[in-house]
Amino acid sequence: MCGIVGYIGSREAYPIIIKGLKRLEYRGYDSAGIALYDDGTIKLSKTKGKVEDLESKVQNEISTHGTLGIGHTRWATHGIPNDTNSHPHYSNSGDLVIIHNGIIENYESLKNELEKRGYSFKSDTDTEVLINLIEEIKKNSKVKLGKAVQIALNQVVGAYAIAVFDKNKPNEIVVARLGSPLAIGIGEDEYFIASDATPFIEYTNNAIYLEDEEMAVVRRHKKIKIRKIKDDSLVSPYIQELQLNLEQIEKGGFDHFMLKEIYEQPHAIRDTYRGRLLSDQAIIKMAGVEDNMKTFLNANRIIIVACGTSWHAGLVAEYIFENLVRIPVEVEYASEFRYRNPVINNNDVVIAISQSGETADTLAAIKLAKASGAFVFGVCNVVGSSIARETDAGAYTHAGPEIGVASTKAFTTQITVLTLIALRLARAKGTLTSSDYRKHLIELEMIPEKVEHTLSSDSLVKSIADIYKSAQNFLYLGRNYNFPVALEGALKLKEISYIHAEGYPAAEMKHGPIALIDENMPIVVIATKKGHYEKVVSNIEEIKARKGKIIGIVTEGDTSVKNLADHVIEVPETLECLVPLLTTIPLQLLSYHIAVMLDKNVDQPRNLAKSVTVE
Ligand code: F6R
């Protein structure tokens, strides 16, 4: 997490960096800071709080002139969020300054060593240790900044994306990465540095994404040179043309990114299957699957690794793959999988799901699976992300940038990609008849329209949110394909409204959660037709008998649940495996409206960050 931005060129760096930091606030937002070089001095300002707090502080503290600068928005790891622990950090001499995204694991021993040599530390951060290590090496070995950074990074254990400059060398910024993303935007005689491309998209479409263990000295008026940190070898830079545009990363008239992204889902799902689902020819075309068809078809099992919402998409995929393709599937939290010595062999196919493509635990799970001989397929949204590059093959979701910290369109587009894969495999394996296969394709193609229709329940959902916004707890229940949707609905509510919520398979209710039910407990029950509908209706009866308040998510035209529930929200009918794409929508809206009514920061909920690049 943490967002880093840098600029070197002929424009004023300050507005570029501040605007860039605002775009990266989704990565962390407990403190922010900036360091600018101007006329022989470093001007540094930093504060606990958001980028707008930094802007106010800067007005009273420093002049904002300078054509070279670095900025940071923080998600605290070492040291509480306060002014001192905020980045940038100076070295003891005050000559060097650094911003860092990641964790230096061996910082304590490095710090002890530096203290013995007379260094002192103002903050509790690992980053301040790193900048002083660089300073010590630079002084002792009499090397240039780039070399000192390289030597220091070879002594460091951990993860980093860093940008460093020296006030005595005001024409260069040294950058490096291991485990945390770093992109360099290439303009006309100017360079931009950032954790992702959003801070510089209005200035250039050309970017280099540093790979792990690479560093670069970004110099004014000079071409970029990239080197391997370990052995100093030169790497030829690969300049990518970015597909992003400015509109995609702005709110477009919505009050929050989350709401915009909820409403973007019809379009995003269409983008996901565009060019892949050719229903008139009854074809699914996905190069990553086609090229590895044998591996998929010979797989003993599929292991899905992911975190958070992506893990919920993985659970939906478990039902889809097992039902349609008849391949056993296991879904694992990447954070558990990576540390529990799992049995993996080379007949396993691992599917890693990640919106950001940067989640540290998912990345580590992929590395472990690859080392054990498994074929790893990635489902990512962010093009060129670490996970997209680390996997053997993959499919992008093409959802467009997701800025709201609470994941919405990422979830539905992940399910869409996973459904396409399952359908393609089912066809190849013969586990679906050709007429069933066609039926699925046609129905999947109609999903965006049905999501659009589901979104028209927004004002109804808002009125329900108003009734229950003060509840202390919520329960979400669903069976079969709707069980992961219940988990996802509960997660959405927790993370943005801070109301405690739990998701359960509906039948599990009687094994414990039923004890929680009284007249104050709102219970969201997803009770669409099929999916053991009658059994869910019995569960609703059990809730009713205990006076729980029932919010039913039902299929259009339903009458049984309508008679029992306090409120119902309808979704259009569809095939069972596609139901999550619809039932998720009212749950996203419910959490959104409750959070807004409670005056919470919907797009940047407390303690969270969009891209979890620490374990
Ligand atoms: C929840 C949420 C998180 C992410 C999780 C994984 O709304 O956004 O739970 O789903 O941190 O992130 P990715 O998908 O980027 O690997």
Side-chain angles (χ1 to χ4, degrees), residues 307-310 354-357 359 405-407 414 491-492 495 612:
C307 301
T309 289
S310 296
S354 174
Q355 186 286 128
S356 62
T359 302
V405 165
S407 208
Q414 285 164 347
L491 178 65
K492 284 293 85 93
E495 61 184 340
V612 186

Side-chain angles (χ1 to χ4, degrees), residues 304-318 331-334 351-357 359 362 379-381 387 397 402 407-408 410-412 414-415 418 484 488 491-492 610:
I304 296 179
V305 291
C307 301
T309 289
S310 296
W311 184 77
H312 295 156
L315 285 181
V316 174
E318 178 178 21
V331 188
E332 303 257 7
Y333 282 119
I351 299 182
I353 310 173
S354 174
Q355 186 286 128
S356 62
T359 302
T362 309
V379 175
C380 294
N381 188 35
I387 291 176
T397 49
E402 192 181 63
S407 208
T408 52
F411 180 65
T412 45
Q414 285 164 347
I415 295 173
L418 293 158
E488 175 60 8
L491 178 65
K492 284 293 85 93
K610 183 81 186 150

